[in-house]
Amino acid sequence: MGAVADVVLGFADYRAPAQRLAIALGVAYAEVDVHRFPDGESRVRLPTPVPPRVLFCRSLDRPNDKLVELLFAAATARELGAEALALVAPYLCYMRQDKAFHPGEAVSQRIIGRELARCFDTVVTVDPHLHRTPVLADAVPVPRALALSAAEPLAARLAAREDAPLLLGPDEESAQWVEAIADRAGLDHAVAAKTRSGDRAVVIELPAVPLAGRSVVLVDDVASTGRTLAEACRALRAAGAARVDVAVTHALFAGDALAVLAEAGVGEVLSTDSILHESNAVELAPLLAAALAEV
Ligand code: R5P
């Protein structure tokens, strides 16, 4: 390929998007073999020989095992001669815990960022949830830390709709994503206010904008339990919205999240392939490859 890497090394749990990235970069794809022992430990084996420049591609949702395996893989690549190591993790875990909200809490964003920086020279991700941390390099102090935005491909998808929906961010933190997408798609946008009292307990206050008869797309960076989107949808329905759909970058959708959304009256759910999920409608390989080509 050109400049970025000699090989893309993927993992079976994120094979298709990693292969798409390798194709977009014009690089060979190979896979790290992971065996999970009955006791829960992992054996990690790299394809050999390992070339000088390796790009690992693995999304870090449900991250605890994946992180350990990635650290094994990166350390082994170095031991086997790799000089430049890049990580493309379209979903980067633990970015939301950016401070100790209660005494004694681990600031996991900083700890994970430091570990990744020990292993990699380049880290690329998409829409990291950097709330109080201005830039990715502050969280992940590598020489090259790239935080890409899925706004463009999501906007292209939403702009193609004929009903010109209102894009609504469910909370103040979503303002950056909903604004970026609305600007590119040429659609109206607004932002609601959220109060969270537990993992699955949120209250949404809608902004004072006309909603009766309107199509609305709820836009957020990530959906986890789905409660934020479900409560927003309920409020929108009560305010007379004609249709409520959802567009997120990262489809974590833990547990019963999709059922909760359906019960709240959400119509279509679409997401990027930053996390493999049935709602995936936007592929990120072109965005990632274009950014990597400039590294
Ligand atoms: C938080 O600010 C994020 O942007 C999401 O709104 C949040 O993580 C969604 O969580 P859940 O789906 O569990 O309500």
Side-chain angles (χ1 to χ4, degrees):
M1 87 180 233
V4 186
D6 303 306
V7 67
V8 170
L9 287 186
F11 293 76
D13 53 42
Y14 196 61
R15 180 177 293 143
Q19 285 176 331
R20 286 196 284 272
L21 177 61
I23 291 168
L25 290 168
V27 192
Y29 173 82
E31 210 157 275
V32 178
D33 180 62
V34 177
H35 174 71
R36 197 70 56 78
F37 291 107
D39 56 17
E41 294 186 4
S42 298
R43 184 198 64 209
V44 169
R45 193 169 67 212
L46 268 56
T48 56
V50 172
R53 298 170 308 165
V54 175
L55 188 160
F56 287 100
C57 179
R58 189 181 210 185
S59 206
L60 293 173
D61 55 303
R62 282 95 188 161
N64 295 357
D65 288 333
K66 291 180 186 175
L67 275 171
V68 171
E69 291 158 7
L70 191 61
L71 301 186
F72 290 173
T76 307
R78 292 264 188 226
E79 282 168 16
L80 296 177
E83 289 155 15
L85 289 189
L87 169 66
V88 172
Y91 176 71
L92 192 54
C93 54
Y94 288 119
M95 291 295 108
R96 281 174 287 177
Q97 181 83 22
D98 60 2
K99 70 170 199 174
F101 295 91
H102 303 98
E105 271 179 10
V107 182
S108 36
Q109 182 195 77
R110 200 163 57 217
I111 298 165
I112 295 299
R114 274 200 305 251
E115 283 312 308
L116 293 177
R118 263 194 265 279
C119 296
F120 298 98
D121 315 298
T122 301
V123 170
V124 181
T125 190
V126 179
D127 290 342
H129 192 96
L130 300 174
H131 186 206
R132 282 159 284 259
T133 312
V135 292
L136 182 63
D138 291 343
V140 186
V142 282
R144 282 170 302 279
L146 296 187
L148 309 180
S149 164
E152 199 74 57
L154 283 171
R157 176 82 194 202
L158 295 172
R161 283 178 55 145
E162 285 177 359
D163 55 353
L166 168 73
L167 306 189
L168 185 79
D171 55 26
E172 184 204 323
E173 293 176 24
S174 65
Q176 55 181 306
W177 291 289
V178 74
E179 272 168 27
I181 295 171
D183 286 352
R184 286 169 175 79
L187 294 169
D188 295 340
H189 74 276
V191 176
K194 174 169 82 179
T195 310
R196 184 185 284 280
S197 54
D199 286 345
R200 291 178 170 73
V202 300
V203 175
I204 300 284
E205 193 185 326
L206 294 178
V209 294
L211 293 164
R214 192 103 206 245
S215 288
V216 180
V217 178
L218 287 164
V219 172
D220 211 349
D221 59 330
V222 57
S224 179
T225 67
R227 266 50 178 192
T228 298
L229 298 170
E231 286 312 312
C233 179
R234 274 199 194 93
L236 287 165
R237 288 292 203 184
R243 170 178 171 175
V244 181
D245 300 310
V246 159
V248 294
T249 303
H250 306 299
L252 280 174
F253 291 126
D256 61 356
L258 278 190
V260 168
L261 292 189
E263 197 185 301
V266 168
E268 186 186 49
V269 179
L270 74 86
S271 64
T272 77
D273 63 357
S274 71
I275 294 171
L276 286 180
H277 188 260
E278 63 189 80
S279 62
N280 289 172
V282 171
E283 293 180 358
L284 293 173
L287 176 80
L288 294 165
L292 284 162
E294 289 180 15
V295 167

